[in-house]
Amino acid sequence: MTDQTATPRAFSASVPLKGRIAIPGDKSISHRSLMLSALAIGESRVTGLLEGHDVLATAAAMRAMGATIERQDDGEWRVHGVGVGGLLQPQCALDMGNSGTSTRLLMGLVASHPITATFVGDASLSGRPMGRVIDPLAQMGADISASPGGRLPLMVRGLAPAIPLSYRLPMASAQVKSAVLLAGLNTPGITEVIEPVPTRDHSERMLRGFGAELTVDTDGDGTRHIHIRGEAELKPQSIIVPGDPSSAAFFIVAALVVPGSDVTIANVGLNPTRAGLVDVLKQMGGDIELLNEREVGGEPVADLRVHHSNLKGIEVDPAAAPSMIDEFPILFVAAALAKGRTTTTGLDELRVKESDRLAVMAAGLDAIGVRVEESEDGLVIDGTGGDPLPGGATIAGHLDHRICMSFAIAGLVSKAPVTIDDIAPVATSFPNFEALLVGLQR
Ligand code: S3P
């Protein structure tokens, strides 16, 4: 049966990409800025907020729990918070759409408030594992009833006061870390998260920025011990959200692989816990220049100038994975155009993203004529050395924005068009993706 509501879109061989673009705000930072502003007492202001569906789901949920959140005509967002401990009982289920970050972080917040919330989401989100947050939050006293397999729909009955916890992360996940830290915000005493493999640290940075007492100690082996003192009082802030490196990634790779391209991407967040892709692409021979390096909203930022490059295949160090976990789909496209073999390992977490990104990328790349082998925890790709890909297939995006955008870029370097079965999911993280692409093709 065909889906009558799907919007297919074809992408074909492109002229050189030229010009300068600014990408939208960082998704992770946007979610956190709304959540923490909604827990501060007084008015916070957020500029550069990503207005994608995922972040709007967070905004709607925080409103449903008592915060006032309004967009001004100039694009600034104003948030009046309820104070830590002040979240109200939502009157209906919280619709998380496609957003794992909204779901897991908000489950953390609800867990230590005296309220009950039901979480629902789309087909992709309803297939994703929530046991990873249910376990620690249940240890803190929340009563959580989930659908079979620890999935959505699920209901969280919070406990206040909750029980402080020392929790060692069993997998590298910023969402699980953040869920526990956010639960710790309204929990008496000290909540600890032990993080053997560092993941994105936006929650830590922003919690401190809002005035929470949060410390990080790092062991000799790199394990991080993060402590937060609960019953915190958050002070309202003015936040500038830097551009999202995970969105920039599609245009970085597009400029590298489309012959003759010269693109400058302004305002790209380069927090070291997020910037792994740039290093890996440089190792592959990518010509990426960092210009105008500066700090925006407590995060390192630069403009990136990217020229078309002859890429070569490499073995990607699995230790780099957490700092580029969302960038593997587009890295696989770069690998498909590189000379020689690219090998990736240690990517089991990709199987529980918006789709199983190893299986879905392998199937799609195979369909457009790329030589690809899927292993348990990675892909091995033999690239063309810059020759165009055959293309000429319709790709199932599986409600995964990053799959859709990765194959859109692959279409730009394919002999026959690459069609995405439904382009709509792109709006979860990058509403103006197509408009920016067209602008660079003029
Ligand atoms: C995110 C953490 C990562 C990432 C996701 C956003 C966050 O997920 O894939 O897109 O904002 O904390 P995991 O925590 O599952 O690795």
Side-chain angles (χ1 to χ4, degrees), residues 110-346:
V110 170
S112 60
H113 277 75
I115 59 175
T116 297
T118 299
F119 293 81
V120 299
D122 73 4
S124 153
L125 184 58
S126 303
R128 299 181 66 186
M130 296 298 153
R132 52 180 61 199
V133 278
I134 294 173
D135 287 349
L137 298 178
Q139 288 180 48
M140 296 179 79
D143 178 8
I144 303 176
S145 30
S147 299
R151 304 195 192 253
L152 261 52
L154 62 73
M155 191 168 80
V156 180
R157 190 168 289 126
L159 177 71
I163 306 151
L165 178 68
S166 170
Y167 189 67
R168 190 180 181 87
L169 293 173
M171 75 286 289
S173 169
Q175 292 178 355
V176 178
K177 166 176 68 178
S178 302
V180 176
L181 292 176
L182 291 178
L185 255 186
N186 194 40
T187 300
I190 304 281
T191 295
E192 180 186 36
V193 178
I194 303 168
E195 189 180 49
V197 179
T199 64
R200 63 190 70 194
D201 63 357
H202 306 302
S203 295
E204 295 94 306
R205 287 175 189 241
M206 202 178 281
L207 280 162
R208 269 215 204 99
F210 271 85
E213 207 180 305
L214 181 143
T215 57
V216 183
D217 301 309
T218 307
D219 284 353
D221 67 357
T223 300
R224 298 170 80 238
H225 295 253
I226 309 158
H227 300 102
I228 184 164
R229 181 179 294 283
E231 300 182 304
E233 204 170 291
L234 301 186
K235 292 176 199 66
Q237 301 295 312
S238 283
I239 298 169
I240 305 173
V241 181
D244 196 327
S246 300
S247 297
F250 299 103
F251 287 100
I252 297 174
V253 170
L256 289 175
V257 298
V258 175
S261 296
D262 176 2
V263 175
T264 299
I265 307 160
N267 184 34
V268 183
L270 287 177
N271 178 316
T273 62
R274 297 286 299 284
L277 178 75
V278 172
D279 290 338
V280 167
L281 290 172
K282 281 186 175 171
Q283 287 169 38
M284 294 173 78
D287 178 356
I288 305 171
E289 242 182 302
L290 271 56
L291 307 170
N292 191 14
E293 290 181 64
R294 56 203 187 273
E295 264 216 3
V296 172
E299 298 270 346
V301 161
D303 303 334
L304 304 186
R305 183 161 184 191
V306 187
H307 285 96
H308 170 255
S309 305
N310 297 317
L311 299 177
K312 58 177 195 299
I314 61 165
E315 262 184 46
V316 179
D317 180 358
S323 66
M324 54 179 292
I325 195 67
D326 291 336
E327 283 66 81
F328 282 96
I330 190 62
L331 175 72
F332 296 147
V333 174
L337 275 301
K339 184 167 193 266
R341 175 166 287 190
T342 297
T343 307
T344 55
T345 51

Side-chain angles (χ1 to χ4, degrees), residues 27-28 31-32 101 104-105 128 132 172-176 178 200 325-326 349 353-354 357 402:
K27 183 153 76 69
S28 293
H31 283 299
R32 288 157 173 82
T101 309
R104 295 187 176 127
L105 272 56
R128 299 181 66 186
R132 52 180 61 199
S173 169
Q175 292 178 355
V176 178
S178 302
R200 63 190 70 194
I325 195 67
D326 291 336
E349 276 293 305
K353 296 295 179 187
E354 285 82 332
R357 287 182 174 162
R402 299 201 197 282

